[in-house]
Amino acid sequence: MWKTRAAVVGVIAAAAFLAAAEFAALFLGGSGSPLVAVGGAVIDLAPPGAKDLMVSLFGTGDKIALFVLMIVIVGSVSGGAGVLERRRPAAGAVVFAIGGVLSLLAVTTRSGSGTLDGAPTVIGVAAAIIVLRVLTARLRRWERVADVPTRAHDGDDTSTTDRRGPAVTSAGTARRSFLVWGVTTAALAVVVGGASRLGTATMQAAVAARRAIRLPTPASAAPAVPSGASLDVTGITPVITSNDAFYRIDTALRVPSVDPAQWKLRIHGAVDREVEITWDELLALPLEEHVATMSCVSNEVGGDLIGTAKWLGHPIRELLARASPHDSADMVLSTSVDGFTAGTPLDVLQDAGTAALLAVGMNGEPLPPEHGFPVRMVVPGLYGYVSATKWVTDLEVTRFADAEGYWTPRGWSERGPVKLESRIDVPRAGATVQAGSTVAVAGVAWQPHTGVKGVQVRVDDGAWQDATLAESISADTWRQWVWRWTPTKGSHRLQVRAISADGAVQTSVERPPAPNGATGWHEVTVTAA
């Protein structure tokens, strides 16, 4: 029983560590959180394929899954530290000290870390060791008193005298002392830690600043979405994805909080002149609206890590023209405030036919924090890992031979053009449809920057049938499609393929997302009854 109690002491000490560290990070700007730093280090050090596995298993909940895994590991280690401390005084404290050193390394080696970012970790370790020592001392006292004999001989071999009173009273006092201290400390850690996490997420100046922003009227507004771009089919993906439904895949465990008044973008490297622009200067430039589909390279065939939105921003090519890149350059390395980097082909960003934007708005409002507020990159035709840098603060003009983005050394291709893909939204896999009735088989198809001109569906390896396409918004967006089917009774396999605007047919070759995007035909099996 004592091992269980000692393990609980260790877990409470770990909770005290996290609560104290998060509380300190709140007052120091939130950037020194050891939980976020260690989680970021785990992501950075994870072997190739680990990201794909997490995304395939948990989708956009990959960060929550990582946090849960971290909590399980921390709980196990801290429980063991509590047992060690009970057996051998100071041994458990050493475990927490080692954990603190590792956390400190994770915090101080993060991109953009400041001189005070390590302070929350130090404060957290101190709190954990104090709680560990205090609760362990009370646990030992309780166990020591509980071991006092409760009955003793009074010299008469035939009778005994009950002497439990003082011993029971002492044991009860020690037990209550341990429980009061333990429960109070645990409750305080939960309240303080939870409030601190909430505070860092909601009490930043950037949140208030975003609410106050009124985006300027675009100099070039996007044409209205044609009424014919949206098919009247129940269950089909909306042609425009709402902000709250838009997928989010990035390396930030905590959404960066950037005050637009402090934001600025620097363009430098292989250029004739460096350029620096502030938030107010960016908003004063002519802004353009453009509807574009974006997708994650981790998207499986038939997956939902894709969305279409109306973006507002200034053309990146115009800012690059100010800097005048050298002829030898072929890549722009963009950097986020949290240290993420992406390598984008320079010629794509300079192309007048590519609506590559330094975006400030999404679907008529300032960028949501989780989608890059205040400024992000949007580059139609490229997967996000090589182009869609959120919270962007730096553009370095360079060469692919001299620099590489975050994912390239982790096994992903240095260039990531979006592949021709299509998806069946309805009927869902495993659905039952009515035999003899007219069933709408519908979904979306895309190849941003190239466009889609045709979609075909087939049943049970039969002949390909042409689907009806919704009206196109532009070559940079997906298109809805529908094919009407009258099924016969039984189980049927439906497959779909797309044809791009330049005549290419979607490949049937099945490949995983790594290293540059999944391929293959999406299929679903349904039953007609």
Side-chain angles (χ1 to χ4, degrees), residues 20-62:
E22 291 296 326
F23 187 71
L26 173 63
F27 286 96
L28 293 174
S31 59
S33 167
L35 184 63
V36 174
V38 171
V42 170
I43 293 175
D44 292 347
L45 298 175
K51 168 183 175 283
D52 249 16
L53 177 62
M54 291 292 286
V55 172
S56 64
L57 290 176
F58 304 105
T60 55
D62 58 336

Side-chain angles (χ1 to χ4, degrees), residues 305-354:
L305 301 181
I306 181 170
T308 299
K310 181 167 67 175
W311 307 96
L312 174 68
H314 185 69
I316 296 175
R317 66 178 179 276
E318 300 291 345
L319 293 176
L320 288 174
R322 287 194 196 181
S324 187
H326 297 168
D327 292 339
S328 60
D330 63 1
M331 187 254 269
V332 172
L333 187 71
S334 55
T335 302
S336 165
V337 69
D338 70 340
F340 172 82
T341 56
T344 309
L346 175 61
D347 59 349
V348 173
L349 296 178
Q350 291 178 313
D351 179 22
T354 300

Side-chain angles (χ1 to χ4, degrees), residues 145-482:
V145 174
D147 286 339
V148 173
T150 59
R151 302 181 71 89
H153 290 296
D154 63 358
D156 187 340
D157 291 341
T158 61
S159 65
T160 59
T161 301
D162 190 346
R163 299 182 179 176
R164 292 178 297 169
V168 171
T169 301
S170 180
T173 300
R175 176 176 177 273
R176 281 194 299 273
S177 175
F178 171 76
L179 291 177
V180 168
W181 274 83
V183 171
T184 301
T185 303
L188 188 62
V190 170
V191 171
V192 172
S196 298
R197 291 291 294 167
L198 181 64
T200 55
T202 61
M203 296 177 64
Q204 300 292 336
V207 176
R210 181 180 181 274
R211 293 196 188 103
I213 289 173
R214 297 294 179 268
L215 294 175
T217 301
S220 175
V225 175
S227 59
S230 185
L231 298 174
D232 185 17
V233 177
T234 301
I236 197 171
T237 300
V239 67
I240 299 294
T241 311
S242 63
N243 290 356
D244 59 351
F246 209 94
Y247 78 95
R248 179 200 165 197
I249 297 291
D250 51 54
T251 62
L253 290 182
R254 171 182 285 164
V255 175
S257 181
V258 183
D259 185 348
Q262 303 300 318
W263 178 88
K264 62 182 177 181
L265 177 76
R266 178 184 176 221
I267 303 175
H268 62 106
V271 296
D272 287 344
R273 66 193 69 85
E274 288 194 10
V275 173
E276 191 169 276
I277 186 170
T278 66
W279 169 256
D280 288 338
E281 290 170 338
L282 177 60
L283 291 191
L285 295 174
L287 301 183
E288 298 180 1
E289 277 186 333
H290 190 69
V291 181
T293 297
M294 297 182 62
S295 58
C296 178
V297 71
S298 294
N299 200 32
E300 299 279 357
V301 172
D304 59 0
L305 301 181
I306 181 170
T308 299
K310 181 167 67 175
W311 307 96
L312 174 68
H314 185 69
I316 296 175
R317 66 178 179 276
E318 300 291 345
L319 293 176
L320 288 174
R322 287 194 196 181
S324 187
H326 297 168
D327 292 339
S328 60
D330 63 1
M331 187 254 269
V332 172
L333 187 71
S334 55
T335 302
S336 165
V337 69
D338 70 340
F340 172 82
T341 56
T344 309
L346 175 61
D347 59 349
V348 173
L349 296 178
Q350 291 178 313
D351 179 22
T354 300
L357 298 178
L358 200 60
V360 297
M362 181 179 182
N363 288 331
E365 64 181 67
L367 290 170
E370 63 273 18
H371 291 299
F373 178 80
V375 184
R376 67 169 297 163
M377 292 173 60
V378 174
V379 185
L382 297 180
Y383 286 119
Y385 83 105
V386 296
S387 66
T389 302
K390 303 175 186 177
W391 316 289
V392 63
T393 60
D394 189 275
L395 299 179
E396 179 188 0
V397 179
T398 181
R399 301 190 309 158
F400 281 104
D402 299 330
E404 54 189 6
Y406 180 92
W407 287 112
T408 303
R410 291 165 173 81
W412 297 79
S413 299
E414 65 179 13
R415 302 167 190 257
V418 177
K419 291 180 168 56
L420 176 63
E421 290 291 336
S422 54
R423 185 181 74 201
I424 299 172
D425 289 339
V426 290
R428 299 288 184 183
T432 298
V433 298
Q434 185 177 350
S437 65
T438 300
V439 175
V441 180
V444 288
W446 63 91
Q447 190 179 24
H449 197 55
T450 300
V452 171
K453 73 174 183 180
V455 172
Q456 296 178 323
V457 183
R458 71 176 180 180
V459 182
D460 300 328
D461 297 325
W464 288 102
Q465 306 294 323
D466 290 330
T468 299
L469 270 67
E471 190 173 343
S472 175
I473 299 175
S474 76
D476 286 341
T477 64
W478 57 16
R479 295 183 74 174
Q480 293 183 344
W481 58 267
V482 62

